[in-house]
Amino acid sequence: MQTKFIFVTGGVMSGLGKGVTTSSIAKLLQLSNQKVSCVKIDPYLNYDAGTMNPIAHGEVFVTEDGGECDMDIGNYERFLNQNIPKNHNITTAQVYSDVIESERKGEFLGACVQIIPHITDEIKNRIRKIASDEELDFLIVECGGTVGDIESLPFLEALRQMRVEDGPKNIIFVHVTLAPALDVVGEQKTKPTQHSVQELRRIGIQPDFLAVRCTQPLEEKTKKKIALFTNVTADDVLSCHDAKSIFEVPQILYDQGILDFIFTKFGKVGMVNTSANWDEWNKIAESMVSQKDQKIKIAMVGKYVTLADSYVSVNHALKHAGAKLGKSVQIDWIDSESIEDFNKLSKYDGILVPGGFGTRGSEGIIKTANYARENNIPYLGICFGFQLAAIAFGRSVLNLEDVDSTEIKPETKNPVVDLLPEQKEVADLGGSLRLGAHKIKVKPDTLADKIYDSDSIVKRHRHRYEINKKYVPEFEKKGMIFSAESDEGKRMEILEIPDHKFYLGVQFHPEFNSRPGFPEKAFVSFIEAASK
Ligand code: GLN
């Protein structure tokens, strides 16, 4: 079986929504009963996204198999409602390390090891292996960065070679660009697109389609002008104008005939199957954008609130839960470092504390966890938000002296949160946390049991610290219950306060399992409690 490849490149500038275009094309093919998946190439030198600051780069998305990936992988999972393994996020470091390791083993003995062919071969092998291992009909490969970047050159060269080797019946290129208009009625400018396609052609790639970002739908005359200068037909210039929600983008592309064009280019005429899958997707997409009567106000108190993308999966998960319950969720991001008047939290229907690392802003989170507990405001604490909720309880209900996490205060007298024992020997910071999916046992007759309706769940993790088991009996005596655990009772995974309206902390990251139409259950229960 020959997998068909669609390579998505980007021009003009970053942030045009290449990830959404990639996900939307993949979704349309999936809705046409094709077996699809997506790959994200990140040309940076980090081995993975794990060591990058979320404020600069956006959230680190954790896959089921424990990859710390670019947040686009999260987009693919949400659009396709399918798990994406970590080998689908390819970086320069991974490619070079493998080639250098092979060279040291003597596998290229006698040869001068070079970017072309050795690095480009490794890139092609990785892409082809995914396609054949997973027996895919289509693999959509998104190349990060903007054409013209030095670091993406070896990747674009590898994609160019693949097209020469496999031919245009098996590989097409989609280039995402921008047609700016200087004001609402202004003319749509084509020059940035012309230049960006020229740059792409300079390195030997002629795009088959252009997906052009614009505020208003692309005018016919603009399409024609772009077509003329970029060597495609006007039909192959697709308008990617502003939509109310990213979930409308597949429909916008579909209405312009993209599926027919793709199948025709691949010689698969007549394969478009607009089957029942569409009804279900349309219902989900509609539920995400429709007007809702009740607005639920959620305060998200965290460390990386200056960039909405730092918690992108949490934001999505809240919206998925809201859509399922027919409620709109409004999120206010509050910086835990600068919050002084905690009474301002009283106007919210619920308080969510997402993941985080380090000392800065942690006192504000501890006070927030206390405020929610004392004022009976629904609280959902994720990872750091779970650990700091326990610290808040230890300080003010157990009245223990000097309660802290050793992450925040290594010499604390009462380390209610402490380093995972196996982490004591770990020296490297990259890829060394407790990562990915782990099985969790849920205790009967608890809130956790009510939420998940199962005694066993599997959730994704990303942490180095955990609840110190020695404090658990004291906590439970005073009303904070640990209702789920993992690794044969070694680790606490969920905390709750039965007397509270809704007080839940989870060591894992439920947000990575939430998808439109299939919201993660802890988020649904949280929004439900917040709406009462
Ligand atoms: N910093 C905490 C830990 O390492 C929490 C991590 C997180 O919130 N992802 O355990």
Side-chain angles (χ1 to χ4, degrees), residues 269-316:
V269 188
M271 282 200 53
V272 183
N273 182 350
T274 48
S275 60
N277 313 337
W278 279 86
D279 296 339
E280 196 193 342
W281 168 251
N282 284 337
K283 257 189 241 145
I284 291 172
E286 169 60 22
S287 75
M288 295 300 299
V289 295
S290 62
Q291 276 296 326
K292 287 137 190 131
D293 297 337
Q294 196 187 356
K295 192 196 268 174
I296 312 294
K297 287 180 75 181
I298 300 296
M300 198 146 121
V301 184
K303 297 185 63 168
Y304 316 117
V305 289
T306 48
L307 181 79
D309 274 352
S310 353
Y311 297 119
V312 65
S313 291
V314 179
N315 299 339
H316 278 292

Side-chain angles (χ1 to χ4, degrees), residues 355-358 382-384 387 407 433 462-465 509:
F357 292 83
I382 297 174
C383 205
F384 208 38
Q387 297 172 357
E407 176 180 11
L433 291 92
R462 182 171 185 248
H463 64 122
R464 216 182 283 285
Y465 294 82
H509 287 271

Side-chain angles (χ1 to χ4, degrees), residues 175 177-179 188-195 197-198 201 206-212 218-239 261 265:
H175 189 54
T177 72
L178 171 74
Q188 293 171 325
K189 297 292 189 187
T190 65
K191 198 65 85 186
T193 298
Q194 293 180 36
H195 281 166
V197 175
Q198 273 169 22
R201 288 165 64 185
Q206 165 63 49
D208 296 277
F209 292 107
L210 298 176
V212 186
L218 212 55
E219 289 168 32
E220 240 3 80
K221 67 171 199 254
T222 320
K223 283 190 176 183
K224 282 196 180 127
K225 191 165 174 192
I226 290 175
L228 184 66
F229 282 95
T230 60
N231 203 21
V232 299
T233 70
D235 281 346
D236 295 332
V237 181
L238 302 166
S239 172
F261 301 152
K265 293 230 188 229

